[in-house]
Amino acid sequence: MPQTDFGELLRQHRFAAGLSQEELARRAGLSGDAIAALERGRRRTPRPLTVRLLAEALALPDHERAHFIDTARGLPRRTTAGDRPIPAATPVPAGQLIGRRAELAAAAQVLTATPVRLLTLSGPGGVGKSRLAIAAADAVGDSFPGGHFWISLSPPDRAPAAGVAAATGLPRPSAHRDLTDVLDLVAEQLGDRRALLVLDDCERVVHDAATICEELLQRCPHLHVLATSREPLHVSGERVTPIRPLPIDDAVTMFHTRAIAHGVQPTADEHGDVRQICRHVDGIPLAVELAASRLNILTVKQVVMELARSSAILAGTDRTAPHRHQTWHASLQWSYDLLTADERTFFAAMSIFSGGWTIAAARAVSAGLAMTTERHDVVVELTSKLVDASLCLVRRERGFARYDMLGLVREYAARQLTRHPARAHVEREHLRHFTALAAAAEPHLLGPDGARWISMLDAELANLRAAMLRALTRGYITAALRLLDSLATYCHLRGLDTEWQAWRESLWT
Ligand SMILES: Nc1ncnc2c1ncn2[C@@H]1O[C@H](COP(=O)(O)OP(=O)(O)OP(=O)(O)O)[C@@H](O)[C@H]1O
Ligand SMILES: [Mg+2]
């Protein structure tokens, strides 16, 4: 790659400072024509005084100033990296990667052995997307002789343009420089180099992340991008790999590792409790870490008990962690804050379900809420948004999709619903919907189509139980009686007579 010439370097710095040729000329005490002549290469050997005045006017930091002066003299860059941009450091992980062998192998394979040039690791907050990206970038390093660049898009106080500039060794752009200008420069620098760009934590600025990918992938034919995001970028050519929580055995290993780091070694007797904690937090690495960090003041058993009360216990002690990783609630709030008002209401309303829901049920419970959810397509759209934001999961069962939330996510959504003016309405609609479903099923249960209706009630058993419990505790006697009546045959067929009797007794007492 040819060495950058002085005119080009001057243009880049001027661009980064957000100055026109005339403004720079005024600051440096030179003429506009002189600047234009230098940038266009009409004057190739500027006088040392001119170079110093320009460096001054551009307020170049020391290392840039040295390079600027050297380039004016026709000297090569003083770094061993030749003309490569200086890659921003990949974050150094606190410990070994636990598990994730299959995910790592799959990511490496996609990045090195397929035509896919944009791979997005998506998944809920704290599930381990960034940690996996660190490992993947490391694993495929040799396949990218052009180096790899790590751009974190999470710092709320840094514009994406500044993040991109920092990661690729460009001077810091001034506040009013837009992303397209910076991408022009980066594309020029990367050229046809075979390099890997890691775009970490894209969800906060997902549109900018999409622009970065589109622009650079189009202009740099051998560039590959590995993105991590709670939400897919939806850019053409993107391959999305959903990252699931850790399997329980790996989560348990992680809990032990983190506990030891806090100076506590769980005993063999505590093993069952450790498993229970890991199951309670669904194997989400961040939540496992936060739970283990509580061993600084609690026993394993106490953590189990506290978690049963509330996930507010999940708060860490690591002062260097980003804010959204210091507590579990902050991690969820990060996603919640990115939703619109309607999406928030819908998210809160969906916490009413136990054991998942269907589009029809979502439509029923949110009917009458402000976002006109009677309309099927609006419900589909809102559901799709929650799935995209990794706040809800899709399960495909026998040709039908059901939706659900991880336990800790549902708990957070339920807290939002408790405070929401629509809470009572949503509860009533949930009860109405499942009472109607049980009543519709009842006449068919012993008929030729019985198996289908029974399996439909099986899928909704958790919701039917929740509806019954709510009817009993809230004193909706008519609905409770109707539900009890409709469920008698089903409960008998499923060997749930004792539970049915218990409902009946609490209704009459
Ligand atoms: N497989 C793993 N082995 C060891 N540590 C892990 C693993 N997965 C995640 N972690 C740790 O768990 C914490 C959360 O992981 P990470 O930051 O990768 O989550 P994330 O999905 O990128 O979250 P966010 O959506 O908030 O960016 C980090 O401290 C990380 O080091
Ligand atoms: Mg991350």
Side-chain angles (χ1 to χ4, degrees), residues 473-490:
T473 52
R474 299 267 197 266
Y476 298 131
I477 303 300
T478 318
L481 271 172
R482 201 168 154 226
L483 195 52
L484 191 72
D485 198 32
S486 305
L487 287 177
T489 311
Y490 170 76

PDB file of all heavy atoms in Angstrom, residues 473-490:
ATOM      1  N   THR A 473     -58.212 -15.049  43.792  1.00  0.00           N
ATOM      2  CA  THR A 473     -57.670 -14.045  44.719  1.00  0.00           C
ATOM      3  C   THR A 473     -58.303 -12.670  44.531  1.00  0.00           C
ATOM      4  O   THR A 473     -58.413 -11.900  45.461  1.00  0.00           O
ATOM      5  CB  THR A 473     -56.135 -13.926  44.596  1.00  0.00           C
ATOM      6  OG1 THR A 473     -55.842 -13.730  43.221  1.00  0.00           O
ATOM      7  CG2 THR A 473     -55.414 -15.151  45.101  1.00  0.00           C
ATOM      8  N   ARG A 474     -58.714 -12.364  43.295  1.00  0.00           N
ATOM      9  CA  ARG A 474     -59.307 -11.047  43.054  1.00  0.00           C
ATOM     10  C   ARG A 474     -60.826 -11.056  43.284  1.00  0.00           C
ATOM     11  O   ARG A 474     -61.468 -10.032  43.136  1.00  0.00           O
ATOM     12  CB  ARG A 474     -59.041 -10.579  41.617  1.00  0.00           C
ATOM     13  CG  ARG A 474     -57.573 -10.435  41.268  1.00  0.00           C
ATOM     14  CD  ARG A 474     -57.094  -9.007  41.515  1.00  0.00           C
ATOM     15  NE  ARG A 474     -55.853  -8.762  40.835  1.00  0.00           N
ATOM     16  CZ  ARG A 474     -54.645  -8.898  41.383  1.00  0.00           C
ATOM     17  NH1 ARG A 474     -54.532  -9.288  42.633  1.00  0.00           N
ATOM     18  NH2 ARG A 474     -53.554  -8.636  40.697  1.00  0.00           N
ATOM     19  N   GLY A 475     -61.382 -12.246  43.517  1.00  0.00           N
ATOM     20  CA  GLY A 475     -62.812 -12.332  43.799  1.00  0.00           C
ATOM     21  C   GLY A 475     -63.703 -12.215  42.570  1.00  0.00           C
ATOM     22  O   GLY A 475     -64.837 -11.755  42.660  1.00  0.00           O
ATOM     23  N   TYR A 476     -63.208 -12.646  41.394  1.00  0.00           N
ATOM     24  CA  TYR A 476     -64.054 -12.663  40.187  1.00  0.00           C
ATOM     25  C   TYR A 476     -64.821 -13.988  40.198  1.00  0.00           C
ATOM     26  O   TYR A 476     -64.451 -14.957  39.509  1.00  0.00           O
ATOM     27  CB  TYR A 476     -63.211 -12.552  38.916  1.00  0.00           C
ATOM     28  CG  TYR A 476     -62.406 -11.280  38.792  1.00  0.00           C
ATOM     29  CD1 TYR A 476     -61.050 -11.302  38.459  1.00  0.00           C
ATOM     30  CD2 TYR A 476     -63.005 -10.034  38.985  1.00  0.00           C
ATOM     31  CE1 TYR A 476     -60.310 -10.137  38.326  1.00  0.00           C
ATOM     32  CE2 TYR A 476     -62.269  -8.863  38.856  1.00  0.00           C
ATOM     33  CZ  TYR A 476     -60.922  -8.923  38.534  1.00  0.00           C
ATOM     34  OH  TYR A 476     -60.191  -7.773  38.411  1.00  0.00           O
ATOM     35  N   ILE A 477     -65.879 -14.036  40.980  1.00  0.00           N
ATOM     36  CA  ILE A 477     -66.540 -15.312  41.266  1.00  0.00           C
ATOM     37  C   ILE A 477     -67.185 -15.933  40.020  1.00  0.00           C
ATOM     38  O   ILE A 477     -67.025 -17.122  39.749  1.00  0.00           O
ATOM     39  CB  ILE A 477     -67.626 -15.117  42.367  1.00  0.00           C
ATOM     40  CG1 ILE A 477     -66.985 -14.531  43.627  1.00  0.00           C
ATOM     41  CG2 ILE A 477     -68.321 -16.439  42.693  1.00  0.00           C
ATOM     42  CD1 ILE A 477     -65.894 -15.379  44.239  1.00  0.00           C
ATOM     43  N   THR A 478     -67.862 -15.109  39.218  1.00  0.00           N
ATOM     44  CA  THR A 478     -68.538 -15.664  38.035  1.00  0.00           C
ATOM     45  C   THR A 478     -67.526 -16.315  37.090  1.00  0.00           C
ATOM     46  O   THR A 478     -67.728 -17.452  36.626  1.00  0.00           O
ATOM     47  CB  THR A 478     -69.299 -14.543  37.286  1.00  0.00           C
ATOM     48  OG1 THR A 478     -69.936 -13.730  38.266  1.00  0.00           O
ATOM     49  CG2 THR A 478     -70.288 -15.095  36.307  1.00  0.00           C
ATOM     50  N   ALA A 479     -66.423 -15.592  36.827  1.00  0.00           N
ATOM     51  CA  ALA A 479     -65.410 -16.137  35.917  1.00  0.00           C
ATOM     52  C   ALA A 479     -64.798 -17.401  36.511  1.00  0.00           C
ATOM     53  O   ALA A 479     -64.575 -18.398  35.808  1.00  0.00           O
ATOM     54  CB  ALA A 479     -64.336 -15.088  35.669  1.00  0.00           C
ATOM     55  N   ALA A 480     -64.552 -17.386  37.824  1.00  0.00           N
ATOM     56  CA  ALA A 480     -63.931 -18.549  38.468  1.00  0.00           C
ATOM     57  C   ALA A 480     -64.847 -19.766  38.356  1.00  0.00           C
ATOM     58  O   ALA A 480     -64.393 -20.874  38.043  1.00  0.00           O
ATOM     59  CB  ALA A 480     -63.626 -18.224  39.928  1.00  0.00           C
ATOM     60  N   LEU A 481     -66.161 -19.540  38.561  1.00  0.00           N
ATOM     61  CA  LEU A 481     -67.114 -20.656  38.475  1.00  0.00           C
ATOM     62  C   LEU A 481     -67.155 -21.238  37.058  1.00  0.00           C
ATOM     63  O   LEU A 481     -67.149 -22.447  36.860  1.00  0.00           O
ATOM     64  CB  LEU A 481     -68.516 -20.143  38.820  1.00  0.00           C
ATOM     65  CG  LEU A 481     -68.897 -20.193  40.301  1.00  0.00           C
ATOM     66  CD1 LEU A 481     -70.221 -19.491  40.525  1.00  0.00           C
ATOM     67  CD2 LEU A 481     -68.972 -21.651  40.764  1.00  0.00           C
ATOM     68  N   ARG A 482     -67.134 -20.337  36.091  1.00  0.00           N
ATOM     69  CA  ARG A 482     -67.207 -20.773  34.697  1.00  0.00           C
ATOM     70  C   ARG A 482     -65.952 -21.579  34.330  1.00  0.00           C
ATOM     71  O   ARG A 482     -66.015 -22.631  33.701  1.00  0.00           O
ATOM     72  CB  ARG A 482     -67.310 -19.525  33.821  1.00  0.00           C
ATOM     73  CG  ARG A 482     -67.889 -19.824  32.481  1.00  0.00           C
ATOM     74  CD  ARG A 482     -68.271 -18.588  31.703  1.00  0.00           C
ATOM     75  NE  ARG A 482     -68.219 -18.928  30.287  1.00  0.00           N
ATOM     76  CZ  ARG A 482     -67.655 -18.194  29.369  1.00  0.00           C
ATOM     77  NH1 ARG A 482     -67.101 -17.046  29.687  1.00  0.00           N
ATOM     78  NH2 ARG A 482     -67.650 -18.589  28.108  1.00  0.00           N
ATOM     79  N   LEU A 483     -64.816 -21.071  34.781  1.00  0.00           N
ATOM     80  CA  LEU A 483     -63.539 -21.740  34.483  1.00  0.00           C
ATOM     81  C   LEU A 483     -63.498 -23.110  35.149  1.00  0.00           C
ATOM     82  O   LEU A 483     -63.089 -24.110  34.551  1.00  0.00           O
ATOM     83  CB  LEU A 483     -62.388 -20.842  34.972  1.00  0.00           C
ATOM     84  CG  LEU A 483     -60.980 -21.135  34.484  1.00  0.00           C
ATOM     85  CD1 LEU A 483     -60.913 -21.249  32.961  1.00  0.00           C
ATOM     86  CD2 LEU A 483     -60.032 -20.027  34.944  1.00  0.00           C
ATOM     87  N   LEU A 484     -63.947 -23.142  36.386  1.00  0.00           N
ATOM     88  CA  LEU A 484     -63.952 -24.396  37.148  1.00  0.00           C
ATOM     89  C   LEU A 484     -64.805 -25.448  36.425  1.00  0.00           C
ATOM     90  O   LEU A 484     -64.388 -26.589  36.227  1.00  0.00           O
ATOM     91  CB  LEU A 484     -64.520 -24.120  38.543  1.00  0.00           C
ATOM     92  CG  LEU A 484     -64.375 -25.240  39.556  1.00  0.00           C
ATOM     93  CD1 LEU A 484     -62.933 -25.381  40.002  1.00  0.00           C
ATOM     94  CD2 LEU A 484     -65.264 -24.980  40.772  1.00  0.00           C
ATOM     95  N   ASP A 485     -65.952 -24.999  36.003  1.00  0.00           N
ATOM     96  CA  ASP A 485     -66.878 -25.885  35.317  1.00  0.00           C
ATOM     97  C   ASP A 485     -66.273 -26.412  34.005  1.00  0.00           C
ATOM     98  O   ASP A 485     -66.291 -27.612  33.720  1.00  0.00           O
ATOM     99  CB  ASP A 485     -68.152 -25.057  35.040  1.00  0.00           C
ATOM    100  CG  ASP A 485     -69.317 -25.959  34.738  1.00  0.00           C
ATOM    101  OD1 ASP A 485     -69.339 -27.063  35.289  1.00  0.00           O
ATOM    102  OD2 ASP A 485     -70.167 -25.559  33.915  1.00  0.00           O
ATOM    103  N   SER A 486     -65.685 -25.484  33.240  1.00  0.00           N
ATOM    104  CA  SER A 486     -65.137 -25.871  31.929  1.00  0.00           C
ATOM    105  C   SER A 486     -63.935 -26.795  32.066  1.00  0.00           C
ATOM    106  O   SER A 486     -63.637 -27.558  31.150  1.00  0.00           O
ATOM    107  CB  SER A 486     -64.691 -24.635  31.148  1.00  0.00           C
ATOM    108  OG  SER A 486     -65.735 -23.729  31.049  1.00  0.00           O
ATOM    109  N   LEU A 487     -63.226 -26.703  33.195  1.00  0.00           N
ATOM    110  CA  LEU A 487     -61.992 -27.483  33.321  1.00  0.00           C
ATOM    111  C   LEU A 487     -62.191 -28.838  33.995  1.00  0.00           C
ATOM    112  O   LEU A 487     -61.240 -29.624  34.113  1.00  0.00           O
ATOM    113  CB  LEU A 487     -60.935 -26.680  34.104  1.00  0.00           C
ATOM    114  CG  LEU A 487     -60.303 -25.506  33.337  1.00  0.00           C
ATOM    115  CD1 LEU A 487     -59.335 -24.739  34.229  1.00  0.00           C
ATOM    116  CD2 LEU A 487     -59.557 -26.007  32.083  1.00  0.00           C
ATOM    117  N   ALA A 488     -63.427 -29.132  34.426  1.00  0.00           N
ATOM    118  CA  ALA A 488     -63.643 -30.369  35.193  1.00  0.00           C
ATOM    119  C   ALA A 488     -63.214 -31.600  34.397  1.00  0.00           C
ATOM    120  O   ALA A 488     -62.427 -32.427  34.871  1.00  0.00           O
ATOM    121  CB  ALA A 488     -65.119 -30.460  35.598  1.00  0.00           C
ATOM    122  N   THR A 489     -63.685 -31.721  33.154  1.00  0.00           N
ATOM    123  CA  THR A 489     -63.364 -32.904  32.348  1.00  0.00           C
ATOM    124  C   THR A 489     -61.868 -32.970  32.056  1.00  0.00           C
ATOM    125  O   THR A 489     -61.227 -34.015  32.186  1.00  0.00           O
ATOM    126  CB  THR A 489     -64.147 -32.862  31.008  1.00  0.00           C
ATOM    127  OG1 THR A 489     -65.506 -32.594  31.308  1.00  0.00           O
ATOM    128  CG2 THR A 489     -64.003 -34.149  30.243  1.00  0.00           C
ATOM    129  N   TYR A 490     -61.310 -31.839  31.664  1.00  0.00           N
ATOM    130  CA  TYR A 490     -59.873 -31.805  31.334  1.00  0.00           C
ATOM    131  C   TYR A 490     -59.036 -32.256  32.541  1.00  0.00           C
ATOM    132  O   TYR A 490     -58.148 -33.094  32.409  1.00  0.00           O
ATOM    133  CB  TYR A 490     -59.471 -30.382  30.894  1.00  0.00           C
ATOM    134  CG  TYR A 490     -57.980 -30.203  30.761  1.00  0.00           C
ATOM    135  CD1 TYR A 490     -57.305 -30.728  29.656  1.00  0.00           C
ATOM    136  CD2 TYR A 490     -57.246 -29.549  31.744  1.00  0.00           C
ATOM    137  CE1 TYR A 490     -55.932 -30.596  29.531  1.00  0.00           C
ATOM    138  CE2 TYR A 490     -55.868 -29.404  31.629  1.00  0.00           C
ATOM    139  CZ  TYR A 490     -55.208 -29.924  30.525  1.00  0.00           C
ATOM    140  OH  TYR A 490     -53.846 -29.803  30.419  1.00  0.00           O
TER     141      TYR A 490
END
